[in-house]
Amino acid sequence: MAFPLLFLLFLSIPFSESKLTIDYYKNTCPDFEKIMRETVTTKQINSPTTAAGTLRVFFHDCMVDGCDASVLISSNSFNKAERDADINLSLPGDAFDLVVRAKTSLELACPGIVSCSDILAQATRDLITMVGGPFYKVRLGRKDSFVSKASRVDGLVPTTNMSMNAVIDVFTSKGFTIKEYVALAGAHTIGFSHCKEFSQRIFHYSKTSPSDPEIYPKFAEALRKTCSNYVKDPGMSAFNDVMTPSKFDNMYYQNLQRGLGLLSTDHALIKDPRTKPFVDLYAANQTAFFQDFSHAIQKLSVYGVKTGRKGEVRRKCDAFNNFKA
Ligand code: HEM
């Protein structure tokens, strides 16, 4: 009985994904893990916003045709790359800088071996763990994409003005369950958002109220102060998790229960009967959140990966090896 069951399990894993292994670089780049850990630690200590920035870059990369480092490619006169899609313009430079540093060290130790997509996946895991989140295993062996087009991004990466139905569609169309989406949204336990992403909730919300009445009033007031000048100064921003902004924990879900959610899509999680039970579960039980987040981000990390000849190991993470228009 065991054999057919195992066989069925094997069949249910897409082929390219099944080629990834935990110890992919064991013989070809034995110091891979050490070099990654050292680079990531130095960068995070010097620029503490790196963790959240890298996690967001990784998420945006994976959502558009898989975790293949397509988001790292720079545009040129012939190609407007993913990174220059509107929604990606706010992706922070520190995350890209981290990848450059890691790639430079790895190319010195083992030239032409480690892909940029593996660097991004491993850096994301190391950083999540470093800021207090769970440790999970990262399967390796991704190849980097041959394609990166800004025009591919719209509709594949969720935006704050989407309805819950639309957001759920974005995730379920890629094979994620609603529960996995709620667990992944817990990534907003770290990092920040620019005022323009939530300004509609705190200024001119309706004829009767300047802000969304479901936001905790003192929180709305504080946000209005922080963002008072945001049109002239678009860099103004607020923490996604106002209580413990730099710690990866389950406070994000507790905040949602108290009207302290920042983005409208965050707040919607506590309103919608399809997502609320999971918010309540994770708010009450950090262990459950960590377990489900680990599972969901492992699934995200292998989404749409390229292996074999479907991709390449880039020499520089921001350019294809062979120039392509
Ligand atoms: C409905 C789904 C989601 C929407 C609409 C959304 C939208 C946003 C927006 C608008 C920001 C602020 C960006 C800025 O102003 O610079 C942000 C930040 C962030 N998002 Fe999401 N997001 C979603 C889901 C996710 C998921 C699933 C992850 C990761 C697995 C994630 C990770 C992050 C992180 C870490 C930040 C902070 C970035 C930083 O501090 O540099 N988001 N998100």
Side-chain angles (χ1 to χ4, degrees):
M1 237 8 232
F3 172 72
L5 189 64
L6 272 177
F7 185 63
L8 280 178
L9 272 175
F10 176 74
L11 279 184
S12 70
I13 303 175
F15 191 54
S16 54
E17 182 190 316
S18 68
K19 285 187 190 161
L20 302 187
T21 54
I22 304 287
D23 58 357
Y24 188 81
Y25 296 114
K26 191 172 153 211
N27 298 321
T28 51
C29 194
D31 284 339
F32 167 71
E33 287 184 18
K34 182 167 162 273
I35 292 172
M36 285 302 304
R37 225 175 7 248
E38 284 172 4
T39 315
V40 161
T41 309
T42 310
K43 178 72 190 172
Q44 175 65 14
I45 289 172
N46 291 330
S47 315
T49 56
T50 305
T54 306
L55 173 54
R56 183 164 181 245
V57 169
F58 182 58
F59 170 55
H60 284 212
D61 183 40
C62 294
M63 294 303 271
V64 181
D65 301 328
C67 310
D68 57 6
S70 48
V71 77
L72 301 178
I73 291 290
S74 294
S75 294
N76 58 34
S77 5
F78 304 98
N79 183 40
K80 186 174 175 190
E82 245 174 78
R83 191 177 166 175
D84 285 317
D86 273 357
I87 195 173
N88 285 339
L89 293 176
S90 60
L91 292 176
D94 276 327
F96 295 92
D97 177 65
L98 170 65
V99 174
V100 171
R101 284 164 191 254
K103 181 66 171 170
T104 308
S105 303
L106 287 164
E107 285 298 297
L108 284 173
C110 21
I113 299 294
V114 181
S115 68
C116 302
S117 38
D118 276 348
I119 290 175
L120 197 51
Q122 182 86 359
T124 300
R125 192 282 310 279
D126 283 353
L127 285 161
I128 288 173
T129 312
M130 211 171 280
V131 294
F135 178 89
Y136 56 89
K137 292 199 163 139
V138 181
R139 287 161 63 203
L140 300 162
R142 292 166 194 74
K143 291 281 175 65
D144 302 327
S145 73
F146 292 127
V147 177
S148 171
K149 296 217 167 290
S151 57
R152 284 291 301 150
V153 177
D154 261 8
L156 294 179
V157 178
T159 53
T160 50
N161 57 3
M162 280 182 175
S163 68
M164 184 53 96
N165 279 345
V167 173
I168 287 178
D169 266 5
V170 167
F171 284 90
T172 52
S173 65
K174 295 182 163 60
F176 293 94
T177 63
I178 293 179
K179 189 177 188 186
E180 285 165 347
Y181 157 50
V182 179
L184 284 174
H188 287 177
T189 175
I190 53 173
F192 61 84
S193 295
H194 291 88
C195 295
K196 79 169 170 61
E197 301 292 354
F198 54 87
S199 59
Q200 81 289 354
R201 299 189 74 210
I202 52 167
F203 297 118
H204 320 295
Y205 181 77
S206 70
K207 278 187 185 147
T208 48
S209 164
S211 55
D212 180 346
E214 290 179 2
I215 308 181
Y216 184 73
K218 284 201 169 137
F219 183 46
E221 205 180 304
L223 289 176
R224 269 199 301 275
K225 249 188 212 152
T226 307
C227 295
S228 57
N229 209 21
Y230 87 96
V231 179
K232 277 200 186 130
D233 187 353
M236 298 312 297
S237 41
F239 289 126
N240 287 327
D241 167 357
V242 63
M243 303 303 276
T244 55
S246 19
K247 190 158 183 274
F248 197 103
D249 56 13
N250 67 338
M251 189 60 80
Y252 167 78
Y253 300 103
Q254 296 179 34
N255 289 341
L256 297 183
Q257 295 175 319
R258 300 177 190 134
L260 296 175
L262 186 64
L263 305 174
S264 56
T265 39
D266 293 329
H267 181 65
L269 290 173
I270 192 77
K271 301 296 292 176
D272 194 292
R274 292 168 291 182
T275 50
K276 181 177 187 298
F278 304 124
V279 172
D280 291 339
L281 167 68
Y282 298 145
N285 186 342
Q286 179 160 286
T287 310
F289 166 48
F290 277 16
Q291 261 172 15
D292 290 356
F293 179 84
S294 299
H295 165 84
I297 197 154
Q298 278 177 318
K299 186 165 164 179
L300 178 70
S301 306
V302 295
Y303 176 73
V305 293
K306 278 111 197 139
T307 54
R309 289 171 179 213
K310 299 212 169 102
E312 63 182 356
V313 172
R314 282 186 210 139
R315 282 188 287 277
K316 274 182 82 235
C317 292
D318 65 351
F320 305 116
N321 289 346
N322 289 315
F323 174 78
K324 282 200 173 57

